[in-house]
Amino acid sequence: MSNEVSANQQEFEFKAEMKQLLNLIIHSLYTHPEVFLRELVSNSSDALNKVRFRKITDNNIISPDAELKINILVNKENKSITIEDTGIGMSKDELINQLGVIANSGTLNYLKALKETGKQLDANLIGQFGVGFYSVFMVTDEVTVDTRSAEPFSKSYKWISKGETSYSIEESDKDSRGTKISFNFKEEFSEFADEFRIKSILKKYSNFVDFPIYVNNEKVNNIDALWHKNKEEIKDEELNEFYKFISNDYTEPLGHLHLNIEGNINFKSLIFIPSSAPPSMFRDFQDKSLHLYSNKVLIQENSTDLIPEYLRFLRGVVDTEDLPLNVSREVTQNSPVMIKIKNVITSKVINLLEEWADKDNEKYDKFFKEFGSLFKTGLNSDFSNKDKLTELLRFESSKSANGELRSLNAYVAAMKPDQKEIYYISGNSRELIEKNPNLEYFLKNDFEVLYFLDPVDLFVMPYIFEYDGKKIVSIDKAEIEDLSKDDNKEKLEKTQTDNLLLEFKKVLNEQVEDVVESKRLVDSPASVVVGKEGLDPQFEKMMKMMEKDFKASKRILEINTSHLLIKNLSELLESNKNQELLHKCIHQIFDGALLIDGILTNHVDYVARNTEILTLATKK
Ligand code: ADP
């Protein structure tokens, strides 16, 4: 929407969501007002990169010879600042469509949720939201953006806004290419109108911008590409700062690789493994990757062809002279150079992880807890590294403490001599898994059971199937030996058992695949296990989440014939009395087992029946 205000000035309303966003930003960012500078400088740096890239193939632009740089002028007296770049600039359309809108639709919801829970927006994350420019309204009441696009014959425009509800655009007289942002600081932020303060913020956040930055005409940054230096020359702090700069992260990385590869493929690279995964909505790694440089010139940000999807948590840069500068996405996708680089990086990263797993368990486990879910998916995509990836898997287990991780190798080394298979159980939490009656047999017999707590496990484990010649089987399906030999608990006689099983089958009828005497139950009266054709129960739950009409397969009900409740039922059956109570109990036992398995659908019946049974049990 726009109104003509004067001959060449038009007034525009922000979209409703933009207003909300501005409000949220201003109220969330007040603990880190200085991030405005990082965001503006990083926008300038992006704009400069775009021009540099364009100039490789096409010099037909406005001010083709202008130095690529960022010029900052601070005036203490006027409490003002201007940040000017010779970047790609913006056309009028771009001012309207890029500066006044939220690029990422998830952003607003995320911010709203944050506000509802009363949590603070992390100032360090603002750059990842695609709304960095607006942080400027933290420190000022009005901003002017004067810009001229690099396109030949472009006009220049002034965009002015108080950040509340609207902005105006008018033609201006800027004669050179690029963008100039100027404003006065609010009284309470006048501390920023200071050369030293601005320089120190730039040192902290923008030291690695690879265009010169001048503050009141003095150059303040060092634009040597870090990855071109020798390993010995680089200090740890420099690496950490560089990581923070390229990743928008504010914590130190867990580790890094500095590669200088020469031979049939040539490249230099600095690769970081972050110390934590980003918040869940950004766990979409689809479009994040390493940045691709050709001889120090950035040619592709987040070049997704540089690393396989399962390593997309990596951050860093790759610089190669083996690619032409004006390479397009289509070319990189199928280029043998890229494939070679990708293979080298993949194997170097796996080597580093193996080294951690070998020598620094704690570090490796931290990595695995953060990125394991994504990393594991390599098992069903990267077959050439399958064996290595399998060794790098970790799980909690019935023998690990809460949060402690075990490898398949450690599991097999600790297997009992008579154990033939590797057992697992899946579930949403350790607590739930440990209450599962099907585990009783394994605990009692001291068989270790792996806990698949991550839903991804169920997708990737079928690709492994076995380890060290031992099948990996769900405890619901594992072949188990009869415990009764060494168990002195008294069980029902065979005919009593047969009769009771028959009665159960009659009552439950179509609801079960079968009812059998259990070999695995120790303390619980009954449990359900997966039938012959059934999928893993956890897998079924996932299918159900994805497909509303998905029906869980029928279960086999196992009953524990040494349990007092089951014995009582047998007596009740033989006595031929109160068969109503007997049938209700049978239904209740079955539903209770489904409940623990997480697949009971009719909770209302379950509770109603419970009331009836209690009533019958308490009748005088
Ligand atoms: P982001 O930079 O994450 O996309 P911003 O809100 O900071 O989000 O900026 C929105 C858009 O405005 C940018 O994507 C870019 O198209 C444009 N823009 C901002 N600053 C500049 C600049 N200095 N030069 C050219 N374009 C810019």
Side-chain angles (χ1 to χ4, degrees), residues 18 21 39-48 50 83-85 87-90 94-95 97-103 126-135 145 147 178-181:
M18 197 68 231
L21 181 73
E39 296 306 322
L40 296 181
V41 167
S42 128
N43 283 347
S44 287
S45 160
D46 289 347
L48 287 162
K50 286 179 193 158
I83 296 147
E84 179 167 18
D85 62 63
I88 195 89
M90 282 174 273
E94 284 165 342
L95 274 172
N97 294 322
Q98 289 172 16
L99 211 54
V101 294
I102 306 172
I126 184 100
Q128 297 178 9
F129 289 114
V131 292
F133 170 77
Y134 288 90
S135 59
V145 179
T147 185
T179 303
K180 177 174 169 182
I181 293 177

Side-chain angles (χ1 to χ4, degrees), residues 441-468:
Y441 169 89
F442 296 87
L443 295 184
K444 175 155 180 170
N445 288 278
D446 200 30
F447 289 131
E448 180 170 11
V449 178
L450 298 174
Y451 294 170
F452 286 6
L453 294 165
D454 177 357
V456 176
D457 291 331
L458 292 168
F459 283 113
V460 300
M461 292 314 278
Y463 288 85
I464 302 182
F465 185 66
E466 59 174 39
Y467 176 81
D468 195 23

